[in-house]
Amino acid sequence: MRFETAAIHAGQEPDPVTGSVVVPIHQTSTYAQDGVGGLRSGYEYSRTGNPTRTALETCLAALDGGARGLAFASGMAAEDTLVRTMCRPGDHVLIPADAYGGTYRLFNAVLSTWGIEHTSVDLSDLNAVRAALQPNTRLIWCETPTNPLLSIADVGELAEIAHGGGARLVVDNTFASPYLQRPLALGADAVVYSTTKYLGGHSDVVGGAVVVADAGMGEQLAYSQNALGAVPGAFDSWLVLRGVKTLGVRMERHCSNAGKVAEWLSGHPAVESVLYPGLPGHAGHEIAERQMRGYGGMVSFTVSGGESVAVDICSRTRLFILAESLGGVESLIEHPGRMTHASTANSPLQVSASLVRLSVGIEDIDDLIADLDQAMD
Ligand SMILES: *Cc1c(COP(=O)(O)O)cnc(C)c1O
């Protein structure tokens, strides 16, 4: 099955009992047994397994070409479960210098107290990555494109470096989604998602996922998923599965709208720089062109007037809603310095106060540009 077909059909056969075309929301905590230990269809308790969650997990594994998909209650729950499955005290992880703020906090404030060390490194600088590898480095944790600076890392090269050093490569593929980028095919060992973003796609659910290349690692993760228990409920699983069906068409529109917004911003007199991997002048453009099917829906830019102008633009848009998060059908605008990245003030990532981040939605492009035009007038 090709991508758009798998998005609609993988794990989603009509219900064998009722014929229901849509996977039912199995809102149950437990399952009747035929005699002691006689499971009717493999399910015994919904932390361990739930048919609606299974449908989502099967579909996500298919979309990334992985051996197994696992769904979690949030992106952070997915990350925590993955790291605690793959690392032990004394292990070391390389994380991106501009890692997602929550990922930085997880490593810096939580996992460090359990003896899992980390080093922040610019993943677009492969020599710096090689130099930062240690004998106890267990994982290279990659994001591409990054948030909010949209820098690009070469997944294939990083996989080679990781494997050469006895480590594994994890890619947080939240910004690209499996439609635009398939890290496992490029050599990564595991992919993580905040399904809250493009996979869910409608800003109505918080969720996470991991997809792994290796079935054995999938088994270990399933054990941890049940043991740690950070699972999504049936309804949340259903919402993500519903979102995934339209991922391909949504991403096409996100990409085309974001490309046009980036181009328009590039010609605006108040704009100092535009950060979008689709622009030929972007430092990671050629790698992005090679490893992605499109350049995504996220666009960041700096204004020449500094913080006050950037904050002003964020409060003047009418269609672009001033809010954190990203990846939904509606366009959002935010000021990373004061909003999403305020909590990473002492991290290696220093975002410019004149930076504005857009999550470009799938509305009519002329309406979106008219909105930015009036806000930046
Ligand atoms: C939002 C996000 C996360 C965390 O996901 P939650 O669902 O909010 O827990 C992780 N990585 C990236 C890149 C994100 O954008």
mmCIF file of all heavy atoms in Angstrom, residues 154-185:
data_model
loop_
_atom_site.group_PDB
_atom_site.id
_atom_site.type_symbol
_atom_site.label_atom_id
_atom_site.label_comp_id
_atom_site.label_asym_id
_atom_site.label_seq_id
_atom_site.Cartn_x
_atom_site.Cartn_y
_atom_site.Cartn_z
ATOM 1 N N ASP A 154 21.261 16.113 8.376
ATOM 2 C CA ASP A 154 21.300 15.035 7.382
ATOM 3 C C ASP A 154 21.091 13.693 8.098
ATOM 4 O O ASP A 154 22.001 13.169 8.742
ATOM 5 C CB ASP A 154 22.654 15.068 6.659
ATOM 6 C CG ASP A 154 22.687 14.145 5.446
ATOM 7 O OD1 ASP A 154 22.106 13.036 5.527
ATOM 8 O OD2 ASP A 154 23.287 14.527 4.435
ATOM 9 N N VAL A 155 19.899 13.128 7.966
ATOM 10 C CA VAL A 155 19.539 11.921 8.723
ATOM 11 C C VAL A 155 20.423 10.733 8.338
ATOM 12 O O VAL A 155 20.901 9.994 9.207
ATOM 13 C CB VAL A 155 18.040 11.582 8.523
ATOM 14 C CG1 VAL A 155 17.687 10.261 9.193
ATOM 15 C CG2 VAL A 155 17.167 12.701 9.075
ATOM 16 N N GLY A 156 20.694 10.558 7.053
ATOM 17 C CA GLY A 156 21.520 9.442 6.599
ATOM 18 C C GLY A 156 22.934 9.509 7.172
ATOM 19 O O GLY A 156 23.475 8.499 7.648
ATOM 20 N N GLU A 157 23.531 10.685 7.144
ATOM 21 C CA GLU A 157 24.888 10.865 7.687
ATOM 22 C C GLU A 157 24.900 10.618 9.190
ATOM 23 O O GLU A 157 25.806 9.972 9.727
ATOM 24 C CB GLU A 157 25.396 12.290 7.397
ATOM 25 C CG GLU A 157 25.658 12.574 5.926
ATOM 26 C CD GLU A 157 26.988 12.012 5.440
ATOM 27 O OE1 GLU A 157 27.739 11.451 6.248
ATOM 28 O OE2 GLU A 157 27.255 12.145 4.226
ATOM 29 N N LEU A 158 23.875 11.135 9.886
ATOM 30 C CA LEU A 158 23.819 10.958 11.340
ATOM 31 C C LEU A 158 23.650 9.484 11.704
ATOM 32 O O LEU A 158 24.221 9.005 12.688
ATOM 33 C CB LEU A 158 22.688 11.791 11.944
ATOM 34 C CG LEU A 158 22.925 13.303 11.983
ATOM 35 C CD1 LEU A 158 21.671 14.021 12.460
ATOM 36 C CD2 LEU A 158 24.121 13.653 12.888
ATOM 37 N N ALA A 159 22.883 8.751 10.898
ATOM 38 C CA ALA A 159 22.697 7.320 11.155
ATOM 39 C C ALA A 159 24.036 6.595 11.042
ATOM 40 O O ALA A 159 24.367 5.743 11.870
ATOM 41 C CB ALA A 159 21.680 6.736 10.173
ATOM 42 N N GLU A 160 24.795 6.968 10.026
ATOM 43 C CA GLU A 160 26.094 6.337 9.827
ATOM 44 C C GLU A 160 27.040 6.621 10.998
ATOM 45 O O GLU A 160 27.719 5.721 11.501
ATOM 46 C CB GLU A 160 26.721 6.853 8.530
ATOM 47 C CG GLU A 160 27.247 5.748 7.640
ATOM 48 C CD GLU A 160 27.578 6.281 6.262
ATOM 49 O OE1 GLU A 160 28.679 6.844 6.114
ATOM 50 O OE2 GLU A 160 26.726 6.140 5.356
ATOM 51 N N ILE A 161 27.050 7.891 11.429
ATOM 52 C CA ILE A 161 27.918 8.272 12.556
ATOM 53 C C ILE A 161 27.476 7.529 13.821
ATOM 54 O O ILE A 161 28.315 6.984 14.552
ATOM 55 C CB ILE A 161 27.872 9.802 12.781
ATOM 56 C CG1 ILE A 161 28.505 10.528 11.591
ATOM 57 C CG2 ILE A 161 28.578 10.173 14.089
ATOM 58 C CD1 ILE A 161 28.360 12.039 11.627
ATOM 59 N N ALA A 162 26.175 7.487 14.060
ATOM 60 C CA ALA A 162 25.672 6.810 15.260
ATOM 61 C C ALA A 162 26.072 5.337 15.241
ATOM 62 O O ALA A 162 26.655 4.819 16.204
ATOM 63 C CB ALA A 162 24.149 6.949 15.343
ATOM 64 N N HIS A 163 25.797 4.661 14.134
ATOM 65 C CA HIS A 163 26.060 3.219 14.066
ATOM 66 C C HIS A 163 27.554 2.910 14.142
ATOM 67 O O HIS A 163 27.958 1.921 14.756
ATOM 68 C CB HIS A 163 25.424 2.632 12.806
ATOM 69 C CG HIS A 163 23.928 2.775 12.812
ATOM 70 N ND1 HIS A 163 23.165 2.824 11.671
ATOM 71 C CD2 HIS A 163 23.050 2.910 13.834
ATOM 72 C CE1 HIS A 163 21.885 2.975 11.978
ATOM 73 N NE2 HIS A 163 21.794 3.029 13.296
ATOM 74 N N GLY A 164 28.362 3.796 13.554
ATOM 75 C CA GLY A 164 29.819 3.631 13.629
ATOM 76 C C GLY A 164 30.337 3.742 15.054
ATOM 77 O O GLY A 164 31.372 3.176 15.399
ATOM 78 N N GLY A 165 29.600 4.476 15.892
ATOM 79 C CA GLY A 165 30.010 4.672 17.284
ATOM 80 C C GLY A 165 29.254 3.782 18.249
ATOM 81 O O GLY A 165 29.250 4.034 19.459
ATOM 82 N N GLY A 166 28.553 2.777 17.734
ATOM 83 C CA GLY A 166 27.812 1.859 18.609
ATOM 84 C C GLY A 166 26.568 2.479 19.224
ATOM 85 O O GLY A 166 26.056 2.008 20.236
ATOM 86 N N ALA A 167 26.076 3.560 18.610
ATOM 87 C CA ALA A 167 24.873 4.229 19.140
ATOM 88 C C ALA A 167 23.712 4.037 18.162
ATOM 89 O O ALA A 167 23.878 3.448 17.088
ATOM 90 C CB ALA A 167 25.152 5.712 19.342
ATOM 91 N N ARG A 168 22.538 4.526 18.566
ATOM 92 C CA ARG A 168 21.379 4.464 17.683
ATOM 93 C C ARG A 168 20.881 5.865 17.395
ATOM 94 O O ARG A 168 21.093 6.782 18.195
ATOM 95 C CB ARG A 168 20.289 3.625 18.333
ATOM 96 C CG ARG A 168 20.630 2.153 18.213
ATOM 97 C CD ARG A 168 19.581 1.309 18.859
ATOM 98 N NE ARG A 168 19.632 -0.038 18.329
ATOM 99 C CZ ARG A 168 19.331 -1.112 19.037
ATOM 100 N NH1 ARG A 168 18.963 -0.989 20.300
ATOM 101 N NH2 ARG A 168 19.388 -2.303 18.485
ATOM 102 N N LEU A 169 20.197 5.992 16.260
ATOM 103 C CA LEU A 169 19.673 7.310 15.875
ATOM 104 C C LEU A 169 18.163 7.355 16.060
ATOM 105 O O LEU A 169 17.427 6.530 15.511
ATOM 106 C CB LEU A 169 20.026 7.624 14.414
ATOM 107 C CG LEU A 169 19.491 8.975 13.920
ATOM 108 C CD1 LEU A 169 20.197 10.136 14.623
ATOM 109 C CD2 LEU A 169 19.637 9.111 12.413
ATOM 110 N N VAL A 170 17.728 8.346 16.838
ATOM 111 C CA VAL A 170 16.299 8.633 17.021
ATOM 112 C C VAL A 170 16.001 9.950 16.309
ATOM 113 O O VAL A 170 16.766 10.905 16.452
ATOM 114 C CB VAL A 170 15.967 8.786 18.519
ATOM 115 C CG1 VAL A 170 14.516 9.241 18.695
ATOM 116 C CG2 VAL A 170 16.210 7.489 19.275
ATOM 117 N N VAL A 171 14.926 9.994 15.548
ATOM 118 C CA VAL A 171 14.536 11.252 14.895
ATOM 119 C C VAL A 171 13.166 11.678 15.402
ATOM 120 O O VAL A 171 12.192 10.923 15.313
ATOM 121 C CB VAL A 171 14.514 11.103 13.356
ATOM 122 C CG1 VAL A 171 14.021 12.393 12.702
ATOM 123 C CG2 VAL A 171 15.899 10.745 12.826
ATOM 124 N N ASP A 172 13.105 12.881 15.960
ATOM 125 C CA ASP A 172 11.811 13.500 16.282
ATOM 126 C C ASP A 172 11.297 14.101 14.977
ATOM 127 O O ASP A 172 11.800 15.117 14.506
ATOM 128 C CB ASP A 172 12.000 14.577 17.353
ATOM 129 C CG ASP A 172 10.679 15.260 17.738
ATOM 130 O OD1 ASP A 172 9.729 15.207 16.930
ATOM 131 O OD2 ASP A 172 10.611 15.851 18.825
ATOM 132 N N ASN A 173 10.322 13.432 14.379
ATOM 133 C CA ASN A 173 9.839 13.763 13.034
ATOM 134 C C ASN A 173 8.552 14.573 13.078
ATOM 135 O O ASN A 173 7.790 14.598 12.118
ATOM 136 C CB ASN A 173 9.625 12.448 12.265
ATOM 137 C CG ASN A 173 9.658 12.612 10.755
ATOM 138 O OD1 ASN A 173 10.383 13.458 10.230
ATOM 139 N ND2 ASN A 173 8.868 11.814 10.057
ATOM 140 N N THR A 174 8.308 15.218 14.220
ATOM 141 C CA THR A 174 7.053 15.952 14.425
ATOM 142 C C THR A 174 6.830 17.036 13.380
ATOM 143 O O THR A 174 5.720 17.190 12.865
ATOM 144 C CB THR A 174 7.059 16.588 15.827
ATOM 145 O OG1 THR A 174 7.132 15.551 16.799
ATOM 146 C CG2 THR A 174 5.804 17.405 16.070
ATOM 147 N N PHE A 175 7.879 17.797 13.061
ATOM 148 C CA PHE A 175 7.698 18.932 12.141
ATOM 149 C C PHE A 175 7.435 18.472 10.709
ATOM 150 O O PHE A 175 6.692 19.114 9.992
ATOM 151 C CB PHE A 175 8.938 19.846 12.172
ATOM 152 C CG PHE A 175 8.808 20.989 13.136
ATOM 153 C CD1 PHE A 175 8.255 20.789 14.391
ATOM 154 C CD2 PHE A 175 9.226 22.263 12.795
ATOM 155 C CE1 PHE A 175 8.112 21.834 15.285
ATOM 156 C CE2 PHE A 175 9.093 23.325 13.685
ATOM 157 C CZ PHE A 175 8.544 23.113 14.924
ATOM 158 N N ALA A 176 8.064 17.396 10.283
ATOM 159 C CA ALA A 176 7.918 16.966 8.892
ATOM 160 C C ALA A 176 6.693 16.063 8.701
ATOM 161 O O ALA A 176 6.031 16.118 7.678
ATOM 162 C CB ALA A 176 9.168 16.234 8.440
ATOM 163 N N SER A 177 6.420 15.206 9.690
ATOM 164 C CA SER A 177 5.413 14.144 9.581
ATOM 165 C C SER A 177 5.926 13.067 8.625
ATOM 166 O O SER A 177 6.780 13.351 7.773
ATOM 167 C CB SER A 177 4.039 14.652 9.105
ATOM 168 O OG SER A 177 3.951 14.632 7.685
ATOM 169 N N PRO A 178 5.398 11.843 8.735
ATOM 170 C CA PRO A 178 5.899 10.772 7.853
ATOM 171 C C PRO A 178 5.574 11.028 6.382
ATOM 172 O O PRO A 178 6.187 10.418 5.502
ATOM 173 C CB PRO A 178 5.182 9.516 8.364
ATOM 174 C CG PRO A 178 4.006 10.015 9.133
ATOM 175 C CD PRO A 178 4.402 11.355 9.688
ATOM 176 N N TYR A 179 4.648 11.928 6.101
ATOM 177 C CA TYR A 179 4.337 12.211 4.698
ATOM 178 C C TYR A 179 5.515 12.897 4.007
ATOM 179 O O TYR A 179 5.818 12.616 2.855
ATOM 180 C CB TYR A 179 3.079 13.085 4.588
ATOM 181 C CG TYR A 179 2.714 13.386 3.156
ATOM 182 C CD1 TYR A 179 2.167 12.403 2.332
ATOM 183 C CD2 TYR A 179 2.955 14.649 2.598
ATOM 184 C CE1 TYR A 179 1.854 12.664 1.004
ATOM 185 C CE2 TYR A 179 2.644 14.919 1.277
ATOM 186 C CZ TYR A 179 2.095 13.921 0.476
ATOM 187 O OH TYR A 179 1.796 14.183 -0.829
ATOM 188 N N LEU A 180 6.184 13.784 4.737
ATOM 189 C CA LEU A 180 7.273 14.549 4.119
ATOM 190 C C LEU A 180 8.637 13.900 4.305
ATOM 191 O O LEU A 180 9.566 14.197 3.558
ATOM 192 C CB LEU A 180 7.317 15.974 4.688
ATOM 193 C CG LEU A 180 6.088 16.844 4.424
ATOM 194 C CD1 LEU A 180 6.289 18.228 5.022
ATOM 195 C CD2 LEU A 180 5.803 16.947 2.930
ATOM 196 N N GLN A 181 8.780 13.062 5.330
ATOM 197 C CA GLN A 181 10.114 12.541 5.637
ATOM 198 C C GLN A 181 9.995 11.200 6.351
ATOM 199 O O GLN A 181 9.256 11.094 7.331
ATOM 200 C CB GLN A 181 10.812 13.575 6.526
ATOM 201 C CG GLN A 181 12.191 13.228 7.019
ATOM 202 C CD GLN A 181 12.836 14.459 7.662
ATOM 203 O OE1 GLN A 181 13.420 15.274 6.968
ATOM 204 N NE2 GLN A 181 12.719 14.613 8.968
ATOM 205 N N ARG A 182 10.730 10.194 5.866
ATOM 206 C CA ARG A 182 10.664 8.865 6.460
ATOM 207 C C ARG A 182 12.043 8.467 6.979
ATOM 208 O O ARG A 182 12.844 7.825 6.280
ATOM 209 C CB ARG A 182 10.122 7.862 5.446
ATOM 210 C CG ARG A 182 8.765 8.355 4.877
ATOM 211 C CD ARG A 182 7.754 7.288 4.770
ATOM 212 N NE ARG A 182 8.195 6.183 3.961
ATOM 213 C CZ ARG A 182 7.556 5.028 3.899
ATOM 214 N NH1 ARG A 182 6.463 4.830 4.619
ATOM 215 N NH2 ARG A 182 7.998 4.065 3.140
ATOM 216 N N PRO A 183 12.330 8.838 8.225
ATOM 217 C CA PRO A 183 13.685 8.664 8.772
ATOM 218 C C PRO A 183 14.163 7.210 8.799
ATOM 219 O O PRO A 183 15.353 6.959 8.635
ATOM 220 C CB PRO A 183 13.572 9.234 10.193
ATOM 221 C CG PRO A 183 12.429 10.198 10.111
ATOM 222 C CD PRO A 183 11.459 9.561 9.154
ATOM 223 N N LEU A 184 13.259 6.239 8.984
ATOM 224 C CA LEU A 184 13.709 4.852 9.056
ATOM 225 C C LEU A 184 14.326 4.429 7.727
ATOM 226 O O LEU A 184 15.328 3.721 7.687
ATOM 227 C CB LEU A 184 12.560 3.911 9.436
ATOM 228 C CG LEU A 184 11.868 4.164 10.792
ATOM 229 C CD1 LEU A 184 10.804 3.103 11.048
ATOM 230 C CD2 LEU A 184 12.869 4.219 11.940
ATOM 231 N N ALA A 185 13.737 4.903 6.636
ATOM 232 C CA ALA A 185 14.266 4.571 5.312
ATOM 233 C C ALA A 185 15.629 5.221 5.085
ATOM 234 O O ALA A 185 16.409 4.782 4.238
ATOM 235 C CB ALA A 185 13.286 5.017 4.226
#
